[in-house]
Amino acid sequence: QAALEDKQSALELARQGACEQVWPKWKEGEAHIQRNLLWHETHAPQVKRELAGCYFQRSRVAHNEQEELEDLLEARFWDHHLSELVERTEELAEEFDLKGQVFFEQEDWKKAYEAFSTALKLDPSRSWSRRRAEDARDKKLKITRPSRKKKNSTTSKKSSKPAKKERTNKKSDTKPSSSQ
């Protein structure tokens, strides 16, 4: 009963916008029945969903973009399947990807990498953003990934080497065959 009361308190805190207090309250409830894994598996998803909703609602009234991003990322941590959250993070991820492309064209590698990375945090399924982030990182660090190095230089080195001599086994050359 005490565990259910703490769970209800945690859900109320989430609905009131006290996001940071939700998980500690839930853990208090869990402490009443530590060994009942079925109870935890049954009730935890609802608490996580409410907690994600709490952070999502907070993101909608954020004072600046940074606060909104922090709240959205926190919401994704708790439940990345909320439909409203998915819509907003996909939308923002696209915006950050476009910003990154602009910075990339301006050869501002650091800002391009940061924009692409933010797009990936918001929507990890964006494979093109991931590739663009890698390209911006490479430019920023002035490195070339092994997969991007020219293959022509390695093939010309192979053809200029002399062919290896065949090894002969001296023992087998001197040993008489058993048929003699």
Side-chain angles (χ1 to χ4, degrees):
Q1 185 62 31
L4 286 174
E5 288 173 8
D6 284 341
K7 174 194 167 195
Q8 281 308 118
S9 295
L11 295 176
E12 280 302 314
L13 288 168
R15 293 178 188 125
Q16 294 169 3
C19 305
E20 289 79 14
Q21 296 173 15
V22 173
W23 197 249
K25 188 56 147 175
W26 161 250
K27 294 307 277 182
E28 284 177 27
E30 236 185 355
H32 296 293
I33 50 171
Q34 291 178 344
R35 295 189 176 145
N36 190 339
L37 295 177
L38 179 61
W39 190 89
H40 175 76
E41 291 172 4
T42 304
H43 296 280
Q46 181 184 9
V47 174
K48 290 179 179 182
R49 192 171 33 258
E50 289 288 331
L51 185 52
C54 180
Y55 280 109
F56 178 73
Q57 292 305 319
R58 185 186 285 178
S59 76
R60 298 178 87 187
V61 295
H63 299 294
N64 58 46
E65 187 179 71
Q66 186 60 36
E67 284 181 16
E68 180 185 15
L69 286 174
E70 289 171 5
D71 289 335
L72 288 172
L73 293 174
E74 193 68 28
R76 272 192 59 77
F77 174 79
W78 292 107
D79 185 358
H80 60 275
H81 295 295
L82 286 178
S83 59
E84 297 171 316
L85 176 65
V86 170
E87 289 174 23
R88 182 66 182 139
T89 55
E90 285 177 353
E91 179 183 301
L92 269 177
E94 182 64 25
E95 289 177 21
F96 275 97
D97 188 84
L98 292 173
K99 285 180 188 178
Q101 290 179 47
V102 169
F103 289 131
F104 195 89
E105 289 174 11
Q106 295 171 352
E107 296 185 2
D108 189 342
W109 313 126
K110 183 178 180 184
K111 287 183 180 178
Y113 178 74
E114 289 171 359
F116 293 133
S117 294
T118 302
L120 285 169
K121 288 175 188 172
L122 290 166
D123 183 5
S125 68
R126 300 179 63 85
S127 59
W128 282 104
S129 295
R130 184 174 316 284
R131 184 169 187 144
R132 290 179 184 121
E134 291 170 352
D135 291 343
R137 179 205 58 209
D138 292 352
K139 298 274 188 185
K140 180 177 83 167
L141 298 175
K142 298 177 183 169
I143 62 173
T144 304
R145 289 187 298 248
S147 62
R148 297 273 175 116
K149 290 184 179 176
K150 292 185 178 182
K151 294 180 180 176
N152 295 341
S153 62
T154 59
T155 55
S156 63
K157 287 180 184 177
K158 287 180 181 177
S159 61
S160 64
K161 289 183 180 178
K164 288 185 177 180
K165 294 180 182 177
E166 275 190 46
R167 295 177 122 190
T168 56
N169 189 346
K170 292 183 180 183
K171 290 182 181 178
S172 64
D173 289 345
T174 57
K175 187 176 180 182
S177 65
S178 59
S179 60
Q180 289 178 347

